[in-house]
Amino acid sequence: MRRVTLFVKGSSRLGKVVPVYGSLSDLLSLASSKLGIQATQVFNEIGGQIDDITLIRDDDVLFVSDGEPFIGEDILTNPRIPEQLTGGHTDWLTLNVGGRYFTTTRSTLVSKEPDSMLAHMFSDRDAWGNKRDHTGAFLIDRSPEYFEPILNYLRHGQLIVNDGVNLLGVLEEAKFFGIDSLIEHLELAIKNSQPADDHSPISRKEFVRFLLATPTKSELRCQGLNFSGADLSRLDLRYINFKMANLSRCNLTHANLCGACLERADLSGSVLDGANLQGVKMLCSNAEGASLKGCNFEDPSGLKANLEGANLKGVDMEGSQMTGINLRVATLKNAKLKNCNLRGATLAGTDLENCDLSGCDLQEANLRGSNVKGAIFEEMLTPLHMSQSVR
């Protein structure tokens, strides 16, 4: 709450310190009660009449009148009146901060942080000597954008920063001017403004907004992001870098992942039925328990999908087009590959134990070193030559 010192008709004696609240009428009523007059007007220390209570600042010295003209000369020249009552700390100042002008009172700059650089600058009237511009404003070579929140803080004690103003810049100014209490507020505000270490999954809505805001020719990097459980079905995800991303339990049904990088990504439990996976890179990815029924891995341009070293335990890839696919040393234990087109596929060193390969086309597929223990090869479209498998 603001407080002011009141005197009658320019007198320097028997003043009263009163709180400022409500309207100007409330202040005049309080002045009448405290000073024993019928106060109708209030003036500042140099005789300016105040008609709006918002013009009154904390620790101002004011003079009330019952309607007679204000006598200001005696106040300003009376040597018995202390300097703080004649504007020592309440006179108005204009500051030229980096070319921008700010008008405030000496009290604002001095009272709240008496040990700050600003307080030392303006506690003495002559401290600045001739460091003024042609208008008489005090020159301060600092950023006005960052100085404004500091001045407002000294006025009312609240940290208010306009949109677009960098809090780090305001913090540096606060340190420069030695506004210690403001430094604490700013450090807390900066901490709260930082993105939380939140690993919660990205939603479809958030990702679609991201896609729409990105130019089509720009490379999208989603490396390491968490999409767990997200619905990304039917989205155009071509050539996006999902390396090491968490896509577990995602719905990627009919998504276009042509040329996408899913290296070391977690696709466990995801549904990719009918997805376009032409030229996809899934090296060492984890797709255990995923459903990839009816997917297309076959790229007409000759770019082969690469799933080398991938964990495909228990996946369902029934009816997928996988001509020329690289499944070298991948794990397909207990996987369902019924009616898949694996013509020319690289399955060297692949673990196909208990894998259902019935109805598959394995013509020219490389099965050297693969583990086919318990694998089902019924209703093969082409005969499996011994030269293709060694165990």
Side-chain angles (χ1 to χ4, degrees):
M1 177 180 290
R2 292 172 294 170
R3 62 180 185 179
V4 295
T5 303
L6 297 179
F7 292 95
V8 178
K9 293 184 181 179
S11 171
S12 62
R13 292 171 293 180
L14 303 176
K16 298 290 184 179
V17 178
V18 300
V20 178
Y21 59 87
S23 64
L24 190 61
S25 297
D26 294 325
L27 179 62
L28 290 171
S29 177
L30 183 59
S32 300
S33 173
K34 295 289 185 180
L35 299 175
I37 68 168
Q38 187 62 39
T40 59
Q41 296 173 308
V42 60
F43 301 87
N44 64 14
E45 68 272 14
I46 59 174
Q49 183 177 355
I50 296 174
D51 57 9
D52 188 342
I53 200 167
T54 60
L55 299 175
I56 298 174
R57 298 191 180 278
D58 193 27
D59 290 331
D60 272 357
V61 177
L62 306 176
F63 303 92
V64 295
S65 167
D66 57 3
E68 296 183 10
F70 175 74
I71 303 173
E73 293 81 359
D74 292 339
I75 291 299
L76 297 176
T77 59
N78 191 337
R80 294 177 298 173
I81 301 174
E83 181 183 358
Q84 62 266 29
L85 298 184
T86 62
H89 281 176
T90 58
D91 53 328
W92 288 86
L93 304 172
T94 299
L95 311 178
N96 181 345
V97 183
R100 182 174 164 188
Y101 290 91
F102 296 88
T103 300
T104 185
T105 64
R106 196 182 299 271
S107 175
T108 296
L109 301 174
V110 172
S111 301
K112 188 170 183 62
E113 291 279 348
D115 295 325
S116 69
M117 180 187 293
L118 279 175
H120 290 301
M121 286 177 178
F122 294 100
S123 58
D124 185 345
R125 286 176 177 273
D126 300 322
W128 277 71
N130 61 354
K131 295 182 177 64
R132 301 181 183 230
D133 65 10
H134 65 282
T135 67
F138 292 98
L139 287 164
I140 300 179
D141 186 18
R142 305 299 293 181
S143 168
E145 181 180 30
Y146 300 142
F147 181 78
E148 183 177 12
I150 292 175
L151 180 58
N152 285 330
Y153 174 78
L154 293 175
R155 285 169 171 159
H156 46 61
Q158 299 294 321
L159 173 61
I160 300 175
V161 181
N162 294 333
D163 292 340
V165 176
N166 193 327
L167 288 175
L168 290 173
V170 181
L171 176 61
E172 288 305 309
E173 294 299 292
K175 290 179 178 179
F176 176 81
F177 288 115
I179 316 296
D180 292 337
S181 60
L182 178 57
I183 292 173
E184 297 176 7
H185 285 290
L186 284 164
E187 288 177 340
L188 179 60
I190 290 171
K191 181 180 179 180
N192 292 336
S193 67
Q194 298 298 320
D197 294 332
D198 184 10
H199 298 290
S200 58
I202 298 171
S203 68
R204 179 185 180 93
K205 182 177 181 181
E206 291 171 327
F207 191 53
V208 169
R209 188 183 299 120
F210 172 62
L211 290 175
L212 293 175
T214 306
T216 54
K217 294 184 179 180
S218 298
E219 180 182 358
L220 286 176
R221 299 181 180 181
C222 298
Q223 183 169 327
L225 297 184
N226 184 6
F227 296 91
S228 179
D231 179 8
L232 305 179
S233 60
R234 303 181 185 277
L235 292 181
D236 186 354
L237 307 175
R238 288 175 296 172
Y239 306 108
I240 295 179
N241 182 1
F242 288 108
K243 185 176 182 180
M244 294 185 287
N246 182 0
L247 292 156
S248 61
R249 303 184 310 281
C250 276
N251 180 5
L252 289 158
T253 305
H254 297 290
N256 187 354
L257 286 157
C258 176
C261 178
L262 292 162
E263 184 177 343
R264 300 183 184 276
D266 184 1
L267 290 154
S268 57
S270 293
V271 179
L272 293 92
D273 296 346
N276 183 4
L277 296 166
Q278 295 175 344
V280 71
K281 299 179 182 66
M282 291 177 61
L283 288 84
C284 301
S285 61
N286 176 24
E288 184 171 352
S291 178
L292 292 92
K293 292 186 290 186
C295 289
N296 181 23
F297 292 87
E298 185 177 350
D299 189 348
S301 66
L303 183 63
K304 297 180 180 180
N306 191 348
L307 280 73
E308 183 172 340
N311 177 13
L312 300 167
K313 288 182 181 178
V315 298
D316 187 349
M317 304 177 79
E318 184 176 349
S320 292
Q321 294 296 318
M322 296 188 283
T323 301
I325 192 172
N326 181 6
L327 288 165
R328 184 176 177 274
V329 299
T331 301
L332 283 151
K333 188 175 182 179
N334 299 317
K336 298 177 182 178
L337 277 74
K338 290 181 64 175
N339 303 316
C340 285
N341 182 358
L342 288 162
R343 185 180 293 249
T346 300
L347 295 161
T350 303
D351 186 359
L352 296 167
E353 185 176 347
N354 298 324
C355 183
D356 187 355
L357 291 158
S358 57
C360 285
D361 185 354
L362 287 164
Q363 186 175 349
E364 299 181 358
N366 180 2
L367 289 156
R368 295 181 184 278
S370 61
N371 177 17
V372 295
K373 181 181 178 181
I376 301 173
F377 291 96
E378 297 177 358
E379 301 177 6
M380 301 290 293
L381 295 183
T382 55
L384 183 65
H385 297 283
M386 290 300 297
S387 61
Q388 293 179 259
S389 176
V390 295
R391 63 167 174 153

